[in-house]
Amino acid sequence: MIVCFASECAYCRSSIVSGQGWVRVKVYDPALNGRDPSYHCYPAEPIAGQEGSCWEKHEMEREIGRTTAHAA
Ligand SMILES: [Zn+2]
Protein backbone atom coordinates (compact mmCIF):
# COMPACT_ATOMS: atom_id res chain seq x y z
CA MET A 1 0.00 0.00 0.00
CA ILE A 2 1.29 3.42 -0.96
CA VAL A 3 1.46 5.83 1.91
CA CYS A 4 1.28 9.55 1.44
CA PHE A 5 3.70 11.22 3.83
CA ALA A 6 1.94 14.53 3.61
CA SER A 7 -1.49 14.85 5.13
CA GLU A 8 -2.44 17.84 3.06
CA CYS A 9 -2.67 18.82 -0.57
CA ALA A 10 0.52 20.55 -1.72
CA TYR A 11 -1.53 22.75 -4.00
CA CYS A 12 -4.36 24.13 -1.90
CA ARG A 13 -3.35 22.87 1.55
CA SER A 14 -6.63 21.11 2.10
CA SER A 15 -6.43 17.85 3.97
CA ILE A 16 -6.24 14.73 1.85
CA VAL A 17 -9.15 12.45 2.55
CA SER A 18 -8.23 8.87 3.22
CA GLY A 19 -9.26 6.67 0.34
CA GLN A 20 -9.20 9.54 -2.12
CA GLY A 21 -7.15 9.11 -5.25
CA TRP A 22 -4.00 11.20 -5.26
CA VAL A 23 -0.66 11.62 -6.97
CA ARG A 24 2.63 11.64 -5.11
CA VAL A 25 5.49 13.68 -6.54
CA LYS A 26 9.06 13.34 -5.38
CA VAL A 27 10.54 16.76 -4.74
CA TYR A 28 14.25 17.45 -4.52
CA ASP A 29 14.91 20.54 -2.48
CA PRO A 30 18.24 22.12 -3.45
CA ALA A 31 18.50 23.39 0.12
CA LEU A 32 18.59 19.79 1.29
CA ASN A 33 21.48 18.77 -0.92
CA GLY A 34 22.25 15.12 -0.46
CA ARG A 35 19.30 14.63 1.84
CA ASP A 36 16.29 12.48 1.25
CA PRO A 37 13.75 13.99 -1.09
CA SER A 38 10.41 15.06 0.19
CA TYR A 39 7.05 14.30 -1.33
CA HIS A 40 4.22 16.50 -2.47
CA CYS A 41 0.78 15.00 -2.66
CA TYR A 42 -2.03 16.15 -4.90
CA PRO A 43 -5.54 14.78 -4.95
CA ALA A 44 -6.16 13.28 -8.39
CA GLU A 45 -9.88 13.72 -8.12
CA PRO A 46 -11.62 17.10 -8.26
CA ILE A 47 -13.10 18.47 -5.08
CA ALA A 48 -16.87 18.73 -5.28
CA GLY A 49 -17.83 21.98 -6.98
CA GLN A 50 -14.38 22.51 -8.47
CA GLU A 51 -13.20 22.27 -12.03
CA GLY A 52 -10.36 19.85 -12.35
CA SER A 53 -8.36 18.26 -9.59
CA CYS A 54 -5.49 19.90 -7.76
CA TRP A 55 -3.16 17.55 -9.62
CA GLU A 56 -4.46 18.79 -12.97
CA LYS A 57 -4.12 22.41 -11.85
CA HIS A 58 -0.61 21.77 -10.63
CA GLU A 59 0.36 20.15 -13.92
CA MET A 60 -1.21 23.03 -15.82
CA GLU A 61 0.81 25.58 -13.86
CA ARG A 62 3.95 23.56 -14.42
CA GLU A 63 3.29 23.57 -18.17
CA ILE A 64 2.69 27.31 -18.17
CA GLY A 65 5.90 27.89 -16.24
CA ARG A 66 7.87 25.77 -18.68
CA THR A 67 6.42 27.59 -21.67
CA THR A 68 7.19 30.96 -20.13
CA ALA A 69 10.75 29.92 -19.35
CA HIS A 70 11.29 28.82 -22.95
CA ALA A 71 9.85 32.05 -24.32
CA ALA A 72 12.13 34.19 -22.17
ZN1 LIG B 1 -5.81 20.71 -3.26
Side-chain angles (χ1 to χ4, degrees):
M1 183 181 164
I2 308 166
V3 175
C4 190
F5 296 110
S7 58
E8 61 181 27
C9 170
Y11 184 84
C12 73
R13 302 292 171 192
S14 68
S15 57
I16 292 174
V17 182
S18 175
Q20 188 182 31
W22 47 265
V23 180
R24 189 178 66 176
V25 181
K26 201 183 266 190
V27 181
Y28 288 99
D29 189 341
L32 302 173
N33 193 27
R35 301 271 300 274
D36 288 338
S38 55
Y39 293 91
H40 283 178
C41 295
Y42 303 91
E45 295 158 21
I47 297 166
Q50 281 194 18
E51 245 184 81
S53 66
C54 287
W55 168 244
E56 286 168 348
K57 291 176 191 170
H58 165 72
E59 281 290 275
M60 217 176 289
E61 285 191 354
R62 216 164 56 112
E63 280 298 319
I64 292 166
R66 192 181 297 156
T67 307
T68 308
H70 275 256

